[in-house]
Each structure stands twice: as structure tokens, then as C-alpha cells.
Amino acid sequence: EMGGVIITSAIIALVLTFGFWYLLRVIARQRTIEEMKDDFTNNMTHELKTPIAIAYAANDSLLQFPDPGDEARTKKYLTAALEQLSKLSELVESILAMSMERRKHLAMDKENINLKEFLPKIIEQQKLKAEKTCEISLECQRDAVVEADPTHFSNVIGNLIDNSIKYSGDSVIIAIKADSTGLSVSDNGIGIPEKSLPDIWSKFYRVPHGSKTEVRGYGIGLFYVKSIVDKHGWRIGVVSRQGKGSTFTIKF
């Protein structure tokens, strides 16, 4: 009789243990799904912010300082706004495609990009939306070509330039060098503390900068940059000194 009680008790204990394990597994899976949804929302929000800001700045400039006689300026700003609206349309299409196909991993739509023609457009767009004086130089080989997703690649470069502008003084000097093997973005900003360098690629991490704590952000930019670089099979690194600026280097 005791043997039957013991066996029954053991079976009940096993059932309860399995039920508890299954419950923990379901909870962990729910957390993973929520984290994936949050990552998707945060990344796409970050991508959408830049074209909206550039299109807004271009149109605001035309409204605030109209000059019907300067056709070149008007055409330049309207073209910038049109390009960003086109970019927004591509992003929306990407969101719909991913939603319909329920992809777990973001796919890169790669094509050959001529860096000498591609980078100046991004530089002009970033200078247009900047709220301070920016001097951005570009040193690039004429035949430099890279295979990349143009939308995500432009966002990567835009993020790096945007960070250089935000975390610099009133006068920003940025030097961009590129060839078929890689690309670097150097600035004269406030730099990154050595102890923070390993964490800058982490999601939601923001470097404590004291006087620069008023800079708005969510700690997503460099996390997004690292994710896109990894998906392309590239490598990214940074060399930085406080008060001396930073250099981000991407190796294709």
C-alpha cells in the first residue's frame, strides 16, 4: 500500500514539475516575443526619424526664408525633401513586407553602391538638419564600390554623422574617408570614456557625459549600426579619447 502511495506521489510530483517547467518556458517565450517586437519598433522608429527631420528642415527653410529668384536653392531643398519622402515610402514597404512574411530576421537587399556618388547626398542631408555649424570633408576614391543595402547603409552613415554632430561643441569638424575596403568617420567631439567603449553597442546604453546629458536619445543608434554592420558581414570598431574626438571605422 505504501508503495502505491509513493508511486502516486512521485507521478503527481513529476506532473507538477513538468507543469512548472512548461509555465516558465511559456513566460520566457513571451518575453522573447515582446523583446523582438520592442526591437523592431525601436529600430524602425529610429530609421523613420531621420528622413522626417530632413524633409521637415528642407520645407521649413523654404517657408521661413523664401527666395523665388534663387531657383537652384529651391530645387536643392525640394529634391532633398522628395528623396526623403521616397525613402519613407521604401521603409513603409519594408515594414509591410516583413509583417506579411513574418520574418524573424531582417534581410538585406544588397546592390552595388558607388561611394563617391552615394556619400555626398547623405552628408548634405545631415548638414541640412544640423542645428550648428558643420564642416564635413569627404575623401573617397572615385571607383570605390561596396555591395550593401542602400537604405540601411545610408542610415548607418547618417547615424554616425548625427552622433558626431550631437556630441560636439558649437563648431563641428567631421572627416569621412572611404574606399572599397572600408569607411571611417572622425570628429572633434567630446569623445567617449574608455570604460564605456565596450558598452556603446548595447541596446539602450547611453554614455554619461555630464554637461551633455541634455542630448536627447534612446541609446538605440549604435546598437542599430552594429546590427546592420553585422548583417552585412562587416566589422566596426571605434578609437576615442575624451576631449579629443572619436573615429568609427567600418571594414567591409
Side-chain angles (χ1 to χ4, degrees):
E1 290 178 357
M2 287 300 295
V5 172
I6 292 172
I7 293 173
T8 302
S9 299
I11 292 173
I12 293 174
L14 287 173
V15 171
L16 290 175
T17 301
F18 176 78
F20 185 66
W21 170 82
Y22 184 75
L23 179 62
L24 290 178
R25 186 170 179 270
V26 170
I27 293 173
R29 186 178 180 184
Q30 289 290 336
R31 287 181 177 175
T32 301
I33 293 172
E34 286 299 318
E35 186 175 339
M36 289 173 61
K37 290 167 66 177
D38 289 342
D39 286 347
F40 176 79
T41 302
N42 291 328
N43 284 338
M44 294 313 299
T45 300
H46 202 77
E47 285 195 59
L48 292 168
K49 277 168 53 181
T50 297
I52 290 173
I54 294 172
Y56 177 86
N59 283 278
D60 183 62
S61 179
L62 290 175
L63 288 173
Q64 295 293 332
F65 308 100
D67 185 0
D70 192 348
E71 293 185 4
R73 172 177 171 271
T74 301
K75 183 178 180 180
K76 175 184 175 181
Y77 284 178
L78 288 177
T79 300
L82 185 62
E83 287 178 350
Q84 293 309 306
L85 290 174
S86 176
K87 188 174 181 180
L88 279 173
S89 177
E90 292 177 2
L91 288 172
V92 171
E93 290 295 331
S94 297
I95 294 172
L96 291 174
M98 284 186 289
S99 176
M100 291 174 63
E101 297 178 18
R102 297 183 180 181
R103 296 177 181 172
K104 293 183 179 180
H105 302 287
L106 190 65
M108 298 291 102
D109 187 15
K110 297 181 181 180
E111 60 183 65
N112 286 330
I113 297 174
N114 184 297
L115 295 176
K116 186 70 173 178
E117 299 174 358
F118 187 78
L119 294 175
K121 296 178 182 178
I122 302 173
I123 292 172
E124 286 302 316
Q125 291 165 4
Q126 291 298 319
K127 289 171 68 175
L128 181 62
K129 77 165 189 170
E131 298 179 352
K132 58 180 78 171
T133 303
C134 296
E135 180 183 329
I136 305 178
S137 63
L138 173 62
E139 182 180 325
C140 181
Q141 296 177 352
R142 186 172 296 278
D143 59 347
V145 176
V146 64
E147 187 180 13
D149 183 303
T151 298
H152 292 291
F153 184 46
S154 66
N155 285 331
V156 165
I157 306 305
N159 268 295
L160 294 178
I161 296 175
D162 186 58
N163 276 354
S164 293
I165 294 172
K166 287 194 296 186
Y167 293 101
S168 293
D170 294 330
S171 181
V172 186
I173 300 176
I174 300 172
I176 300 175
K177 297 181 180 180
D179 57 32
S180 295
T181 65
L183 176 148
S184 67
V185 179
S186 303
D187 62 56
N188 65 334
I190 60 178
I192 304 170
E194 186 176 355
K195 64 179 181 180
S196 297
L197 288 175
D199 301 316
I200 61 174
W201 313 111
S202 301
K203 183 171 55 175
F204 304 130
Y205 180 79
R206 298 197 67 203
V207 178
H209 279 300
S211 61
K212 287 292 178 182
T213 53
E214 75 278 2
V215 176
R216 298 182 60 184
Y218 303 97
I220 301 172
L222 289 179
F223 170 76
Y224 167 78
V225 167
K226 182 69 163 59
S227 299
I228 297 302
V229 167
D230 288 345
K231 288 182 182 297
H232 278 83
W234 303 338
R235 290 179 291 118
I236 185 169
V238 58
V239 175
S240 184
R241 291 176 58 193
Q242 281 191 277
K244 300 294 184 180
S246 305
T247 298
F248 287 84
T249 302
I250 300 174
K251 291 294 183 182
F252 300 145

